[in-house]
Amino acid sequence: RVRYKFASFWNRNHALRQLQRTAKNYHTMLEAEKKEKAQSALRAHSSSIGGSRRQAKIAEETVTKPEKLQPFIKEEVLVGIYNDVFPCTAEQFFTLLFSDDSKFTNEYHAARKDSNLVMGQWHAADEYDGQVREVAFRSLCKSPIYPRDTAMTESQHAVLSPDKKIFVFETVQQAHDVPFGSYFEIHCRWHLETIAENSSTIDIKVGAHFKKWCVIQFKIKTGAVNKYKKEVELMLETARSYIKRCTSGGETNNQSSTPSVTPDCN
């Protein structure tokens, strides 16, 4: 009279445990995605706040910091891609290249053939130390499976140590028009430390942080790192040329003097 029955209760129990485990992992993944979305929204909100139009100046770290300060990037995804000596101090690196008065960012994006560049002003944020700002532009895509160009949003975070010898510059890039673009962000950290009167060590790390799981995750990670290596080469080449123009003619006969710092270089 019984037409259907389980051939093995072990198989039935095994399948049930697999389904329960999968459901639990799925809900955990959803919670993680919600948390990542909240952090991304917080970073974007902090970086895009208009704030006052005061002169750009990196806020120095204080001895006592609020406990609510959060990390700007995910350090665990970063891998080292560049380490060398750069011909300026850590303080000059910000003042010449990334202050609100500097034209370096415009020159760099022009060299990349980006378009529609819009830069916000540096301002303090309650969630992070230092200062933040947002840069938006359209970037050309070279991959045949990508569109001709894509809108990019880059949140930037900058901190100068109290003695002005260490400068940390962090960025989070989000591509809006590429396949799986909403799944990941490109996190990067530049760390400079002054070692001489006009030189500092520079260490650059980058990595792809995934806000949710993606089937081609490994390929995207590898491609993002290789792509950023090429961008760093162009950025450093442009930076050296820009700094040379800014500091040329600033030296005097006094051996103890340093080149003058002029952010607005033509």
Side-chain angles (χ1 to χ4, degrees):
R1 296 178 181 180
V2 180
R3 297 181 60 184
Y4 304 102
K5 65 179 180 179
F6 284 109
S8 169
F9 280 102
W10 184 89
N11 288 338
R12 180 262 183 194
N13 292 337
H14 183 69
L16 178 60
R17 285 195 296 269
Q18 286 283 75
L19 290 172
Q20 291 174 335
R21 190 181 302 112
T22 301
K24 182 179 179 180
N25 292 340
Y26 176 72
H27 288 294
T28 302
M29 183 179 68
L30 287 182
E31 290 299 322
E33 289 180 6
K34 289 180 181 179
K35 191 174 181 180
E36 288 298 335
K37 287 181 180 178
Q39 291 180 347
S40 296
L42 177 64
R43 188 188 303 113
H45 174 71
S46 300
S47 300
S48 60
I49 293 176
S52 62
R53 305 291 290 183
R54 64 181 181 276
Q55 289 185 345
K57 181 180 180 181
I58 289 298
E60 299 179 1
E61 293 178 327
T62 56
V63 177
T64 59
K65 299 179 182 179
E67 295 181 357
K68 62 182 178 180
L69 292 180
Q70 301 180 22
F72 194 77
I73 60 175
K74 298 288 185 180
E75 294 187 32
E76 60 271 18
V77 305
L78 302 180
V79 295
I81 61 171
Y82 185 88
N83 189 292
D84 205 347
V85 176
F86 199 77
C88 73
T89 65
E91 183 181 12
Q92 288 174 333
F93 190 85
F94 169 74
T95 305
L96 294 174
L97 302 180
F98 291 106
S99 66
D100 289 331
D101 296 328
S102 174
K103 298 295 189 296
F104 166 74
T105 301
N106 302 71
E107 289 193 12
Y108 167 64
H109 284 281
R112 281 169 43 99
K113 299 182 180 179
D114 295 332
S115 59
N116 300 351
L117 176 64
V118 179
M119 286 191 297
Q121 296 278 312
W122 288 108
H123 59 273
D126 295 334
E127 299 83 7
Y128 312 105
D129 57 348
Q131 294 195 11
V132 295
R133 72 175 179 182
E134 184 174 275
V135 178
F137 55 93
R138 293 200 67 86
S139 176
L140 295 177
C141 299
K142 298 182 179 180
S143 174
I145 65 172
Y146 285 179
R148 179 181 178 275
D149 61 359
T150 178
M152 298 287 294
T153 301
E154 181 174 285
S155 299
Q156 300 181 346
H157 175 228
V159 180
L160 187 67
S161 64
D163 60 5
K164 302 185 184 301
K165 291 185 177 181
I166 297 178
F167 175 65
V168 177
F169 179 65
E170 299 174 329
T171 65
V172 175
Q173 287 186 352
Q174 176 73 67
H176 299 285
D177 305 319
V178 301
F180 301 104
S182 62
Y183 284 55
F184 67 95
E185 300 169 331
I186 305 302
H187 290 206
C188 184
R189 168 177 286 171
W190 295 51
H191 182 278
L192 287 95
E193 182 172 0
T194 301
I195 57 174
E197 186 178 3
N198 290 309
S199 64
S200 58
T201 59
I202 180 171
D203 181 71
I204 304 175
K205 296 181 179 180
V206 68
H209 167 60
F210 281 81
K211 296 181 284 186
K212 50 186 174 181
W213 185 84
C214 176
V215 66
I216 57 173
Q217 192 163 305
F218 178 77
K219 185 176 182 180
I220 291 176
K221 285 183 178 181
T222 304
V225 172
N226 292 335
K227 182 175 182 293
Y228 201 84
K229 284 181 180 179
K230 296 179 180 179
E231 293 180 3
V232 164
E233 292 178 2
L234 176 59
M235 184 179 292
L236 292 177
E237 180 183 349
T238 307
R240 289 189 180 94
S241 175
Y242 188 86
I243 289 175
K244 187 176 181 180
R245 295 202 311 272
C246 289
T247 58
S248 61
E251 297 187 29
T252 65
N253 293 329
N254 189 347
Q255 295 180 356
S256 63
S257 65
T258 59
S260 60
V261 176
T262 308
D264 190 2
C265 301
N266 296 319

